[in-house]
């Protein structure tokens, strides 16, 4: 049963909606930053070569699909509350970005894509479930559409400002950057945003638990 079955406007007035929105923005925005900069990321970590780009995109995409399926199975099994699974997915993503930032070379690139794609897929699997569980099915299309904007809200500052700032800081006079430093700062910030998202998701889970305890007493 949903926590509430409320209208779209009522949903926008709930603090828990914005906790969910910014939690998703943090994780999905970080994933889109990697996807949007995949070409430059591959060249930077593979000594200027771009042959690995289709491989990396494939690894990310396959892991993304696996993450969606796996999270769907976990939610169906009632292994943990959905909000707690959101916390876990964001912590996973935060750790994956931090470890990626520490790596160097093409092997780090190839090893990083599966966990990054998996975490990204988990978030997209949880998003529609949380929309219906927390706010009901009334005006569900509007609610889901609004939550889908979280990815744009999260990716815009990372893709348009953070990634170019670090890349250009280490670029040569022709504007090209090769080496792990090109994206290291961006990946650390992506990791930080995921951990902040996990904290917001934790607040969401805590508020729901407290509300459940109050109603049961």
């Amino acid at each position: 049963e949903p926590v509430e079955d409320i209208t779209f406007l009522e949903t926008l007035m709930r603090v828990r909606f914005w906790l969910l929105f910014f939690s998703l923005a943090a994780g999905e925005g970080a994933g889109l930053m990697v996807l949007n900069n995949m070409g430059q990321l591959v060249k930077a970590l593979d000594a200027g070569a771009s042959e690995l780009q289709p491989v990396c995109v494939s690894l990310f995409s396959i892991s993304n699909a696996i993450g969606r399926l796996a999270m769907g199975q976990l939610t169906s099994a009632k292994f943990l509350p959905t909000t707690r699974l959101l916390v876990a997915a964001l912590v996973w993503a935060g750790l994956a970005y931090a470890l990626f930032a520490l790596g160097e070379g093409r092997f780090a690139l190839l090893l990083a894509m599966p966990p990054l794609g998996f975490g990204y897929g988990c978030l997209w699997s949880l998003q529609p479930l949380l929309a219906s569980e927390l706010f009901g099915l009334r005006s569900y299309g509007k609610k889901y559409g609004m939550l889908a904007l979280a990815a744009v809200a999260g990716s815009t500052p990372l893709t348009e400002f953070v990634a170019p700032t670090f890349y250009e800081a280490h670029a040569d006079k022709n504007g090209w950057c090769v080496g792990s430093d090109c994206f290291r700062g961006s990946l650390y910030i992506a990791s930080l945003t995921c951990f902040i998202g996990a904290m917001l998701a934790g607040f969401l889970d805590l508020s729901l638990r407290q509300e459940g305890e109050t109603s049961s007493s």
Side-chain angles (χ1 to χ4, degrees):
E1 292 295 324
V3 175
E4 294 181 293
D5 192 14
I6 54 179
T7 66
F8 175 64
L9 290 178
E10 288 173 329
T11 298
L12 296 182
M13 297 174 66
R14 295 292 190 271
V15 173
R16 67 166 61 103
F17 175 82
W18 296 106
L19 287 172
L20 176 60
F21 182 92
F22 287 111
S23 296
L24 293 169
E28 293 171 355
L32 284 176
M33 182 196 77
V34 169
L35 287 172
N36 291 337
N37 290 279
M38 188 67 80
Q40 290 176 310
L41 188 60
V42 169
K43 287 184 178 181
L45 290 175
D46 198 21
S50 58
E51 289 82 2
L52 284 180
Q53 184 173 344
V55 177
C56 290
V57 171
S58 296
L59 285 173
F60 191 100
S61 300
I62 292 169
S63 303
N64 176 9
I66 293 172
R68 294 180 189 228
L69 292 171
M71 191 55 71
Q73 288 296 316
L74 285 174
T75 53
S76 297
K78 306 294 183 183
F79 176 68
L80 282 173
T82 314
T83 48
R84 231 163 290 174
L85 290 173
L86 176 61
V87 175
L90 286 163
V91 169
W92 170 281
L95 290 173
Y97 285 107
L99 292 173
F100 188 19
L102 293 171
E104 295 185 16
R106 57 166 38 194
F107 292 110
L109 191 63
L110 293 171
L111 288 173
M113 289 301 114
L116 292 182
F118 183 84
Y120 185 70
C122 287
L123 293 173
W124 280 101
S125 181
L126 288 169
Q127 182 170 299
L129 295 172
L130 285 162
S132 60
E133 282 187 15
L134 299 182
F135 311 110
L137 295 176
R138 291 173 65 188
S139 305
Y140 177 77
K142 293 180 182 179
K143 295 170 186 175
Y144 180 78
M146 187 67 184
L147 281 178
L149 291 177
V152 179
S155 68
T156 299
L158 291 173
T159 301
E160 298 297 327
F161 302 106
V162 174
T165 297
F166 284 101
Y167 186 89
E168 292 167 8
H170 296 94
D172 59 24
K173 61 182 180 181
N174 296 318
W176 291 101
C177 184
V178 175
S180 57
D181 289 334
C182 303
F183 285 94
R184 179 167 285 155
S186 304
L187 292 170
Y188 277 134
I189 290 179
S191 174
L192 178 62
T193 62
C194 288
F195 285 125
I196 292 173
M199 182 177 66
L200 295 175
F203 288 144
L204 174 61
D205 179 66
L206 180 62
S207 69
L208 290 172
R209 277 191 288 165
Q210 289 177 338
E211 184 175 303
E213 290 170 1
T214 301
S215 59
S216 63
S217 61

